């Protein structure tokens, strides 16, 4: 495996050296666009110490706001938004702080095309920024995998997620964590139409289902994404936080030329290194990528690349990584045993998805598939709250009250005083193995529940409906259940009076927030 990775690295470096041989210098100004017309005028001053990048090098503007960068035949030059300023937005509320330089365009055989645009190095390439008040306390929407394969699924995404979440004036901006669509890149356009309804700045991460599968080199796999959304690797600041967005999908897989592999190209690691040179260590660093860093027995992420990322972040104690891809929800923590050398473990939030279990399941009250994920997490989206350089996270189940954070599964009726193999299960959607979860019956004493790594019977019961029904049910049968990393169990008492009894579960998350949920069951003679 190490040899394969080394071969890939050398090949990428050789490809990079070929591009460098054809570079030319481009210069321009970053200025305060006071009249918001996109044109630098004599009365509009340049902004000093603003970072500008070509996707690898990162330079700061001088005292007059001027910068100079090299570009080859495949570059996007972009401004790294500084705190206290906003960048221009297009009609879909997507950032337009970049210029594409692809004079050769997309390879002719590509099914989905990219951009064919050129930067005129003889002219000044200027970027205007608009001053704005920017609090150090702010909130961000995080959407995992919208991943529609059809226009019907675009409609489901709109109905279940957009219509609920839009127009929240407490949210500073949003970000979608890749797999914006499901392989048909023509759906990027209707996806953008849906996101436009959020009416706030929106950032996008590239996913493995947003790629050009015709590409024979990873550097070309993002052609259509770049045309529709701009750079696949970029950064921006907001408040006292620095956000880094990365395409962490290598395609084709350098091991066999088929499929993909989680990792980074050398130029991407160089971008991270060069970017962090201009970021103070007291800032909150938020990493955003599609494939999680978690390495399993299947070796889903290149170990050397993950370690290289960890090495670049040494000394940064406030770091959050956000990923998606799995259509599950879990909290991953990396420590010294994983190669993370900071005092504070690296927390990776592998967020649940807005598409849930790929738009499967029974049609719910919203008129869309329930699409509960394979670990029992209902579909939804996350909200990250930042205060100075600290963060908290909460998950919002689509179509449910804000405080719905636990699902209780228990039998509906039991025989009085009879022994039973039934249990009470509590799926605490944002839970971790170290969280404390308690249960009580009829306002009795709180008793601890036992953490288990197992499938959620609530999810399995939905599949059983499809299997046992004598008639064809609406919606598509959900996927096979996966073990949940946030499930607890306890016994259920039967030595109670006949009648209805209340189950109450209480759980406290890693940020100190406590939630409760109730259910009922009956005891009969």
């Amino acid at each position: 495996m190490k040899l394969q990775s080394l071969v890939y690295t050398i090949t990428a470096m050789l490809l990079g050296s070929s591009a460098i041989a054809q570079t030319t210098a481009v210069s321009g100004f970053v200025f305060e666009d006071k009249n918001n017309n996109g044109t630098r005028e004599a009365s509009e001053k340049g902004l000093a110490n603003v970072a500008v990048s070509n996707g690898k090098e990162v330079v700061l503007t001088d005292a007059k706001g001027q910068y100079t960068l090299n570009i080859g035949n495949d570059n996007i030059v972009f401004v790294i938004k500084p705190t206290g300023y906003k960048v221009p937005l297009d009609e879909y509320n997507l950032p337009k702080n970049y210029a594409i330089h692809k004079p050769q365009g997309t390879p002719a055989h590509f099914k989905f095309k990219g951009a064919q645009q050129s930067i005129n190095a003889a002219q000044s390439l200027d970027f205007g920024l608009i001053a704005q008040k920017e609090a150090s306390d702010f909130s961000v929407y995080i959407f995992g995998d919208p991943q529609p394969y059809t226009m019907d699924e675009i409609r489901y995404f709109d109905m279940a997620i957009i219509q609920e979440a839009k127009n929240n004036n407490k949210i500073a901006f949003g970000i979608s964590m890749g797999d914006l669509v499901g392989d048909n890149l023509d759906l990027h356009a209707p996806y953008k139409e849906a996101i436009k309804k959020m009416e706030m700045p929106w950032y996008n991460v590239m996913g493995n289902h947003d790629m050009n599968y015709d590409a024979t080199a990873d550097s070309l796999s993002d052609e259509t994404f770049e045309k529709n959304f701009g750079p696949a690797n970029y950064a921006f600041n907001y408040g006292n936080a620095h956000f880094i967005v990365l395409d962490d999908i290598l395609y084709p897989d350098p091991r066999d030329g088929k499929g993909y592999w989680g990792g980074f190209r050398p130029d991407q690691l160089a971008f991270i290194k060069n970017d962090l040179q201009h970021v103070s260590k007291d800032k909150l660093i938020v990493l955003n990528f599609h494939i999680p860093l978690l390495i399993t027995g299947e070796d889903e992420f290149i170990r050397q690349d993950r370690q290289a990322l960890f090495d670049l972040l040494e000394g940064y104690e406030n770091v959050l990584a956000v990923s998606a891809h799995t259509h599950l929800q879990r909290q991953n923590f990396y420590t010294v045993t994983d190669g993370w050398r900071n005092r504070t473990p690296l927390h990776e939030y592998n967020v649940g998805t807005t598409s849930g279990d790929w738009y499967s399941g029974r049609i719910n009250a919203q008129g869309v598939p329930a699409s509960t994920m394979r670990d029992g997490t209902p579909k939804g989206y996350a909200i990250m709250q930042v205060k100075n350089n600290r963060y908290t996270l909460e998950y919002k189940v689509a179509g449910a009250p804000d405080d719905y954070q636990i699902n209780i599964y228990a039998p509906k009726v039991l025989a009085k005083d009879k022994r039973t193999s039934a249990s009470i299960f509590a799926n605490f959607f944002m839970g971790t193995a170290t969280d404390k979860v308690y249960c009580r019956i009829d306002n009795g004493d709180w008793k601890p529940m036992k953490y288990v790594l197992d499938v959620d019977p609530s999810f399995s019961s939905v599949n059983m409906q499809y299997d046992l029904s004598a008639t064809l049910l609406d919606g598509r049968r959900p996927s096979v259940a996966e073990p949940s990393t946030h499930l607890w169990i306890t016994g259920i008492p039967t030595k109670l009076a006949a009648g209805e009894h209340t189950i109450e579960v209480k759980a406290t998350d890693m940020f100190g927030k406590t939630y409760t949920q109730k259910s009922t069951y009956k005891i009969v003679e």
Side-chain angles (χ1 to χ4, degrees):
M1 193 64 69
K2 291 183 178 179
L3 178 60
Q4 290 170 322
S5 183
L6 178 61
V7 170
Y8 170 72
T9 300
I10 293 172
T11 302
M13 291 177 69
L14 290 173
L15 290 172
S17 65
S18 174
I20 290 172
Q22 304 174 45
T23 58
T24 185
V26 61
S27 296
F29 290 85
V30 179
F31 65 98
E32 183 177 352
D33 191 3
K34 290 192 173 182
N35 59 9
N36 196 16
N37 68 355
T39 302
R40 182 170 68 94
E41 298 167 352
S43 61
E44 293 175 328
K45 67 177 182 178
L47 298 174
N49 296 317
V50 176
V52 187
S53 178
N54 59 10
K56 181 178 180 181
E57 288 83 20
V58 179
V59 299
L60 296 181
T61 56
D62 63 17
K64 296 181 179 180
Q66 190 172 28
Y67 71 92
T68 299
L69 279 167
N70 290 325
I71 54 173
N73 288 327
D74 185 359
N75 280 109
I76 299 181
V77 176
F78 58 91
V79 173
I80 295 175
K81 186 193 92 63
T83 295
Y85 289 88
K86 59 182 178 180
V87 302
L89 303 176
D90 68 9
E91 62 179 305
Y92 304 103
N93 297 316
L94 308 182
K96 287 293 291 184
N97 57 327
Y98 61 88
I100 297 176
H101 184 66
K102 294 177 182 285
Q104 298 174 351
T106 311
H109 68 282
F110 273 29
K111 178 180 180 181
F112 301 104
K113 302 302 181 183
Q116 184 168 0
Q117 300 176 20
S118 297
I119 295 172
N120 187 346
Q123 297 180 350
S124 183
L125 180 61
D126 301 333
F127 296 98
L129 301 177
I130 304 101
Q132 68 174 353
K133 292 182 179 180
E134 206 164 283
S136 59
D137 294 5
F138 61 95
S139 298
V140 179
Y141 273 144
I142 303 173
F143 283 10
D145 296 48
Q147 204 171 341
Y149 286 85
T150 64
M151 285 301 298
D152 278 343
E153 291 178 350
I154 287 278
R155 182 170 56 85
Y156 295 154
F157 173 60
D158 188 348
M159 292 171 62
I161 305 298
I162 300 295
Q163 295 304 315
E164 175 180 297
K166 68 178 184 178
N167 302 330
N168 186 337
N169 58 15
K170 296 180 180 179
I171 306 295
F173 59 89
I175 183 165
S176 291
M177 299 302 303
D179 284 359
L180 313 178
V181 299
D183 298 331
N184 179 1
L185 305 190
D186 286 339
L187 291 176
H188 277 162
Y191 161 79
K192 291 197 292 185
E193 290 287 354
I195 285 295
K196 178 181 179 180
K197 299 175 185 178
M198 294 299 295
E199 296 189 2
M200 64 182 67
W202 206 269
Y203 297 88
N204 291 281
V205 178
M206 181 171 163
N208 56 287
H209 289 282
D210 298 308
M211 299 188 302
N212 293 93
Y213 293 140
D214 313 294
T216 56
D218 182 60
S219 60
L220 296 174
S221 66
D222 57 4
E223 289 290 293
T224 303
F225 179 91
E226 290 180 330
K227 174 188 176 183
N228 292 322
F229 301 101
N233 303 280
Y234 58 98
F236 61 94
N237 297 280
Y238 199 101
N240 200 27
H242 183 73
F243 293 78
I244 302 176
V245 177
L246 300 166
D247 163 17
D248 69 343
I249 310 134
L250 297 176
Y251 178 86
D253 187 329
R255 294 170 292 188
D256 57 11
K258 302 174 183 178
Y260 57 88
W261 197 11
F264 304 109
R265 300 189 308 267
D267 60 289
Q268 294 176 284
L269 293 170
F271 167 67
I272 302 168
K273 178 181 178 181
N274 295 329
D275 173 52
L276 289 174
Q277 288 179 349
H278 307 297
V279 180
S280 63
K281 295 226 170 18
D282 64 343
K283 280 190 176 289
L284 169 64
I285 307 295
V286 184
L287 305 170
N288 304 268
F289 37 71
H290 183 64
I291 297 179
L293 298 173
L294 186 69
I295 295 175
T296 67
E298 298 176 357
D299 208 10
E300 295 169 342
F301 208 97
I302 298 176
R303 292 179 182 272
Q304 296 94 320
D305 290 1
R306 187 179 80 170
Q307 188 59 56
L309 176 65
F310 287 177
D311 292 345
L312 292 172
L313 289 162
E314 188 169 355
Y316 289 90
E317 290 294 341
N318 300 314
V319 184
L320 168 68
V322 185
S323 59
H325 182 60
T326 62
H327 294 258
L328 306 170
Q329 181 156 270
R330 62 179 294 162
Q331 318 292 338
N332 302 324
F333 297 92
Y334 304 96
T335 63
V336 65
T337 58
D338 305 298
W340 178 257
R341 290 189 288 269
N342 292 335
R343 294 190 307 273
T344 306
L346 171 61
H347 175 206
E348 179 184 47
Y349 175 36
N350 190 218
V351 63
T353 55
T354 53
S355 60
D357 182 54
W358 296 277
Y359 300 103
S360 66
R362 304 295 304 275
I363 304 302
N364 64 15
Q366 293 176 298
V368 301
S371 200
T372 299
M373 285 170 268
R374 294 164 293 161
D375 65 345
T377 305
K379 74 169 179 289
Y381 50 93
I383 301 172
M384 177 173 65
Q385 297 174 327
V386 178
K387 292 188 176 182
N388 192 19
N389 62 357
R390 302 290 178 177
Y391 68 90
T392 59
L393 295 161
E394 58 186 52
Y395 187 68
K396 174 66 177 68
V397 174
D402 292 350
D403 61 357
Y404 178 51
Q405 300 292 318
I406 306 167
N407 182 63
I408 299 173
Y409 178 88
K412 298 297 184 185
V413 60
L414 289 169
K416 179 175 169 54
D417 298 331
K418 298 292 186 179
R419 294 179 61 184
T420 178
S421 60
S423 298
I424 298 170
F425 289 84
N427 192 329
F428 180 28
F429 310 134
M430 287 291 288
T432 69
T434 58
D435 290 339
K436 303 300 182 184
V437 179
Y438 298 89
C439 180
R440 68 178 179 181
I441 307 296
D442 296 335
N443 295 318
D445 294 335
W446 288 107
K447 296 181 180 180
M449 300 184 75
K450 179 184 177 182
Y451 175 80
V452 291
L453 186 63
D454 204 347
V455 298
D456 184 343
S458 180
F459 179 85
S460 298
S461 69
V462 176
N463 277 350
M464 293 298 290
Q465 293 177 24
Y466 281 85
D467 294 341
L468 299 176
S469 175
T471 59
L472 191 64
L473 300 182
D474 60 23
R476 178 169 53 82
R477 186 185 191 276
S479 304
V480 176
E482 291 279 344
S484 173
T485 59
H486 35 81
L487 189 66
W488 283 259
I489 187 174
T490 192
I492 185 166
T494 61
K495 294 183 178 181
L496 300 170
E500 186 172 87
H501 297 273
T502 299
I503 301 168
E504 188 172 9
V505 173
K506 175 175 69 174
T508 302
D509 69 15
M510 60 183 289
F511 305 107
K513 298 178 183 177
T514 298
Y515 303 95
T516 60
Q517 189 69 32
K518 292 183 178 181
S519 183
T520 60
Y521 71 109
K522 288 182 180 179
I523 296 291
V524 297
E525 295 287 355

